[in-house]
Amino acid sequence: MSVSAAPAARTGRLPGVDGIWALIGADSVVFAILFASFMTERRHDPGLFESSRLSLHLDLGGIDTLILLTSSWTVALAIQALKRDQIQRMSRYLLAGALTGALFMVSKAIEYTAKIADGITPATNSFYMWYFTLTGIHLLHVLLGTGLLTFVWLGSRRGRYRSSTAAVPESVASFWHLVDYLWIVLFPLLYLMKAAG
């Protein structure tokens, strides 16, 4: 009886190791505080925040969103392939996830370069202080996540992972989905939401 009950308990588990979920939870709380602080400061000077928001490159923000959604999708497909022990397919999907993560960083570098060329820095005003802070912290998450995806991709090419040893790839995938989720909040918060005057 206890032997047959074990697999059922296993299927109900969270993917990855427990520690990754503590990290995701703590990270989510920190970002929630940052988002709330941004919203509070925006209420104090809606005109400034709205005029600054309108200077952002909406198309690049939309492309960034598409890039990260695609990346998150390929990483989810990689984990599905791992569960079926389709290691070569997993490896290809992980590579796609890492490359799209790198593409996001290139897109953000283009956006930052254009802003700095226009004389816009974190010291320009409160909106841009928040813009560079929030997107910069998120960009560090993308850099870390892309590095982790590359690490797992290299491991998959060496045959390190199977469905029975999936904790590390699942943990990395869970972190990567957090990175995607944070951007899905950041994009409308910075680029789309009008500041009420």
Side-chain angles (χ1 to χ4, degrees):
M1 186 74 160
S2 61
V3 173
S4 61
R10 177 122 177 111
T11 55
R13 72 179 179 88
L14 289 170
V17 297
D18 292 340
I20 194 65
W21 291 100
L23 173 66
I24 288 171
D27 217 20
S28 298
V29 169
V30 169
F31 267 93
I33 293 167
L34 290 171
F35 294 156
S37 299
F38 169 82
M39 296 288 285
T40 299
E41 190 155 347
R42 188 174 74 166
R43 278 197 293 272
H44 293 316
D45 198 346
L48 172 70
F49 274 64
E50 181 60 13
S51 62
S52 299
R53 178 190 73 81
L54 291 172
S55 71
L56 295 181
H57 200 301
L58 185 58
D59 290 342
L60 267 181
I63 289 168
D64 290 344
T65 304
L66 182 61
I67 289 169
L68 278 187
L69 287 173
T70 301
S71 188
S72 204
W73 176 61
T74 61
V75 170
L77 291 174
I79 298 303
Q80 288 180 5
L82 174 61
K83 289 178 180 177
R84 299 186 189 106
D85 283 315
Q86 298 170 336
I87 305 306
Q88 285 187 338
R89 180 174 289 183
M90 171 206 179
S91 182
R92 288 194 299 270
Y93 284 133
L94 282 173
L95 178 59
L99 289 175
T100 45
L103 187 59
F104 179 92
M105 289 187 276
V106 169
S107 175
K108 223 59 209 135
I110 291 169
E111 190 172 2
Y112 284 169
T113 301
K115 285 283 170 277
I116 292 167
D118 289 340
I120 296 171
T121 70
T124 299
N125 63 35
S126 299
F127 175 86
Y128 278 111
M129 185 277 294
W130 280 107
Y131 164 78
F132 281 105
T133 299
L134 291 172
T135 60
I137 294 171
H138 179 262
L139 188 59
L140 289 175
H141 282 66
V142 174
L143 178 63
L144 174 60
T146 302
L148 291 170
L149 287 173
T150 303
F151 171 78
V152 174
W153 170 67
L154 290 171
S156 71
R157 288 179 57 81
R158 295 179 184 129
R160 190 177 297 162
Y161 307 114
R162 290 284 181 271
S163 58
S164 58
T165 57
V168 169
E170 285 180 342
S171 297
V172 170
S174 298
F175 178 78
W176 191 247
H177 294 317
L178 169 70
V179 171
D180 184 29
Y181 166 74
L182 290 173
W183 180 256
I184 288 180
V185 176
L186 271 172
F187 175 57
L189 189 70
L190 292 172
Y191 291 77
L192 300 177
M193 287 178 61
K194 294 182 178 181

